[in-house]
Amino acid sequence: MEHWCRISEFRCRRLEFRPVFPKRGANLDEAGIPMRLSQYFMPILRDDPKEAEIVSHKLMLRTGMIRQEAAGSYSWLPMGYKVLRKIEQIVREEQNRAGAIEVLMPTIQPADLWRKSGRYDAYGKEMLRIKDRHDRDMLFGPTNEEMITDIFRQGVQSYKDMPRNLYHIQWKFRDEVRPRFGVMRGREFLMKDAYSFDISREAGQHSYNKMFVSYLRTFARMGLKAVPMRAETGPIGGDDSHEFLILAETGESGVFFDKDFFDMDWSAFDIDYDDVGAVAKVVQDFTSKYAATDEKHDAAEFEKRVPEGRRLSGRGIEVGHIFFFGTKYSEPLGCVVQGPDGKMVTVQSGSYGIGVSRLVGGIIEASHDDAGIIWPEPVAPFRIGLINLKAGDADTDAACNNIYKALEAKGIDVLYDDRDERAGAKFGTMDLIGLPWQVIIGPRGLKDGIAEVKNRKTGERSNVALDQIVSRFTA
RNA sequence: CGGAGUGUAGCGCAGUCUGGUAGCGCACCUGCUUCGGGAGCAGGGGGUCGGAGGUUCGAAUCCUCUCACUCCGACCA
């Protein structure tokens, strides 16, 4: 139990962590879709549904983000879907920045492809097998190595067309024996998976390193410090592998790591991805310190390398996993290209996953309090919750409408609680859904021309003149 | 897949042992009074009791079968 206390000290610090990157290119998909709560679909529950065991699952159900349709399978209701899409967009932007190219492969795959790789029989009952009307064997894809390798092989025959990294963000299905913890371990889940193809071992390592750095950036932008840990390559195999874990008491893995991770400069990886040395150095910095999941943990080594005062242990949620395969898959699948000397070369490959839907739950696990969710701004469903304390009062309505329209005009995501509810209910709801900022307008402040601005995370409140509200959020 | 449970109104539950045709809290609707941290009073709507079969004059309740979901274990992004 003792290590929990130690971890929780760091939880506070972790939550203060702020994304350090300028937003190059706004989230065009998601920019400012303001909404009046009286017209929204957000079925709030006052009580915890009994099937939910962990806090993120409870909160997602209570805030009407998701609805369970079957074991491990969920509908994403408007607010949950908005968060999911924001996370997805951050992942997409950082993949693109690292030079990966987006594709989209089908959810349903032909079994033949998997028979060729030998995994059709090997994959076991986790693979959902289906037959089409012609009685052909199909499957709902649990992953896409076979398909992407086939795509790459068909499209590339020469070293001149390399390196390439192709990724997609698509729903996967793994028929888990026992799904649990809501979207953290569903059967159907949204995943980003990328696949790199290189001509040499060294080039392949650089591709791996680029993904490593892009993962640090991706999670940092979501307000998370995801600690990279050397991982078992497991049944997927390969030469090199790291998992990225965020700390949470409900994590599925025990983790042991050096406190230094929290003191490192998490902004130092805003670098040129073509600079092989610089990329390698970041990876070096982040892999030189001790960090391991319980599978790989070596107590003796931990004690040898990390002074007692810096040893941290706790539990973690895996949000990303990267593998370098070498020729493990390309060789049996005959994925070869012609090199500059005319000889055929077996491609070096790697694969890189991020659990997009899992991150929604993971972020809540890492960022909440007794009152509800505390969204990090970059993934919040709305940036501001505007509270009308006296809906129906002409002056209050007018003031709120003005602010709402002004924020809307600036493209700011705002959820306007214009319901005819009591103040307490509105505060409770707003705290529960955890929007980063609350703008509170009532007759009391209105007399003096002010609104109250509250920060959900710190609880800090300040009075702001009505005509300063918009500039407060656009500066 | 082994073990343990649970299915009754949108959510949380009682009623089942001991059969007599369904109830409580929250939520929801109407009215009045309230109104800056989940109000009060009055009135009201909503349930094939997971499903099928059986026993019985009569089944939420007893019997048989079945489906779904949850938890513990093994497994996983």
Side-chain angles (χ1 to χ4, degrees):
Chain A
M1 265 346 269
E2 199 230 343
H3 58 259
W4 277 126
C5 308
R6 288 156 70 190
I7 287 291
S8 54
E9 282 173 37
F10 286 93
R11 160 183 276 192
C12 303
R13 293 177 55 188
R14 187 171 72 253
L15 297 184
E16 280 162 28
F17 186 64
R18 273 276 172 269
V20 289
F21 312 107
K23 257 195 182 171
R24 301 177 207 165
N27 294 356
L28 292 179
D29 282 358
E30 295 302 327
I33 305 173
M35 184 55 68
R36 290 175 131 83
L37 192 44
S38 65
Q39 295 167 20
Y40 204 37
F41 187 79
M42 189 178 79
I44 295 270
L45 299 175
R46 194 103 169 235
D47 304 308
D48 288 331
K50 64 173 174 180
E51 74 264 22
E53 199 60 23
I54 62 171
V55 65
S56 64
H57 192 191
K58 288 178 182 171
L59 287 172
M60 288 181 76
L61 290 167
R62 283 192 56 200
T63 58
M65 291 176 68
I66 54 168
R67 195 182 93 107
Q68 177 163 324
E69 299 297 354
S73 148
Y74 297 87
S75 289
W76 292 79
L77 306 185
M79 203 169 63
Y81 188 43
K82 235 176 155 212
V83 173
L84 184 70
R85 299 235 300 167
K86 287 200 170 184
I87 292 170
E88 177 182 346
Q89 184 60 18
I90 290 172
V91 170
R92 176 175 289 118
E93 287 172 12
E94 292 302 327
Q95 289 293 293
N96 292 344
R97 193 192 305 274
I101 306 161
E102 187 168 16
V103 298
L104 184 61
M105 292 175 269
T107 53
I108 308 288
Q109 305 181 22
D112 282 353
L113 203 49
W114 287 70
R115 291 206 174 92
K116 277 181 206 160
S117 75
R119 288 213 291 178
Y120 187 68
D121 295 323
Y123 215 93
K125 301 195 91 170
E126 283 206 341
M127 182 188 278
L128 181 64
R129 294 149 209 262
I130 319 166
K131 279 186 191 296
D132 70 8
R133 68 192 298 162
H134 302 294
D135 213 35
R136 283 185 290 242
D137 291 321
M138 309 291 283
L139 57 98
F140 198 115
T143 179
N144 288 73
E145 273 95 9
E146 283 78 1
M147 189 170 279
I148 196 75
T149 304
D150 211 45
I151 288 170
F152 177 82
R153 189 174 54 176
Q154 180 271 130
V156 170
Q157 286 84 40
S158 161
Y159 76 97
K160 291 178 183 171
D161 293 324
M162 291 171 72
R164 288 292 184 276
N165 183 327
L166 302 177
Y167 77 97
H168 77 334
I169 300 173
Q170 177 63 292
W171 292 91
K172 306 284 195 292
F173 194 95
R174 290 182 195 171
D175 199 358
E176 299 278 351
V177 191
R178 184 148 110 82
R180 69 185 114 173
F181 303 149
V183 300
M184 299 267 289
R185 186 161 167 206
R187 290 191 294 176
E188 189 172 343
F189 57 98
L190 186 62
M191 183 175 172
K192 185 282 302 182
D193 42 330
Y195 303 90
S196 67
F197 303 95
D198 284 276
I199 193 75
S200 69
R201 170 71 221 219
E202 296 71 40
Q205 185 66 52
H206 182 232
S207 291
Y208 182 87
N209 289 349
K210 283 200 288 189
M211 283 293 112
F212 188 106
V213 174
S214 83
Y215 275 35
L216 291 174
R217 292 184 55 104
T218 301
F219 298 126
R221 276 188 60 184
M222 296 170 193
L224 301 168
K225 281 187 179 179
V227 180
M229 307 199 180
R230 185 161 295 278
E232 289 287 357
T233 49
I236 299 180
D239 300 338
D240 202 359
S241 174
H242 288 91
E243 309 183 299
F244 290 74
L245 292 101
I246 57 176
L247 297 179
E249 295 171 20
T250 45
E252 71 269 275
S253 316
V255 294
F256 302 84
F257 61 100
D258 191 329
K259 175 176 171 291
D260 272 6
F261 271 106
F262 289 112
D263 302 325
M264 292 178 73
D265 182 1
W266 286 69
S267 61
F269 32 81
D270 195 8
I271 54 171
D272 178 0
Y273 277 113
D274 294 329
D275 186 336
V276 175
V279 172
K281 180 165 186 314
V282 174
V283 174
Q284 171 66 25
D285 288 348
F286 274 85
T287 54
S288 59
K289 301 195 186 312
Y290 189 92
T293 61
D294 41 16
E295 294 176 322
K296 276 275 196 177
H297 180 55
D298 179 337
E301 193 195 342
F302 190 40
E303 284 166 26
K304 193 172 133 197
R305 286 178 51 194
V306 186
E308 189 167 1
R310 295 205 328 239
R311 286 176 211 150
L312 292 181
S313 60
R315 302 200 70 79
I317 298 167
E318 182 182 351
V319 290
H321 202 154
I322 59 179
F323 297 90
F324 185 63
F325 294 140
T327 58
K328 183 180 159 74
Y329 283 97
S330 47
E331 178 136 29
L333 288 166
C335 187
V336 295
V337 297
Q338 200 164 26
D341 56 1
K343 288 183 180 154
M344 301 308 285
V345 181
T346 302
V347 164
Q348 301 274 331
S349 70
S351 90
Y352 315 91
I354 290 181
V356 176
S357 50
R358 155 173 278 212
L359 269 166
V360 180
I363 290 169
I364 295 172
E365 288 295 325
S367 184
H368 67 272
D369 62 16
D370 289 344
I373 302 170
I374 302 172
W375 287 115
E377 248 180 273
V379 299
F382 299 90
R383 188 172 164 210
I384 298 172
L386 174 61
I387 299 179
N388 182 339
L389 283 181
K390 195 166 184 179
D393 176 80
D395 291 342
T396 318
D397 286 351
C400 287
N401 271 321
N402 287 340
I403 297 284
Y404 177 69
K405 283 181 180 152
L407 291 169
E408 179 177 25
K410 292 288 183 184
I412 294 173
D413 255 345
V414 49
L415 180 64
Y416 172 24
D417 189 349
D418 58 340
R419 297 171 305 163
D420 184 16
E421 286 287 343
R422 300 174 66 81
K426 294 191 174 196
F427 290 135
T429 298
M430 208 52 91
D431 286 346
L432 177 68
I433 66 178
L435 307 184
W437 297 96
Q438 295 174 15
V439 174
I440 301 159
I441 296 180
R444 211 167 71 188
L446 220 49
K447 287 198 307 250
D448 306 318
I450 56 167
E452 193 177 355
V453 174
K454 177 183 160 188
N455 182 289
R456 171 65 177 89
K457 185 171 69 180
T458 64
E460 205 176 315
R461 301 151 181 273
S462 55
N463 290 322
V464 178
L466 287 175
D467 55 9
Q468 298 293 306
I469 295 285
V470 174
S471 58
R472 170 78 175 249
F473 292 104
T474 50

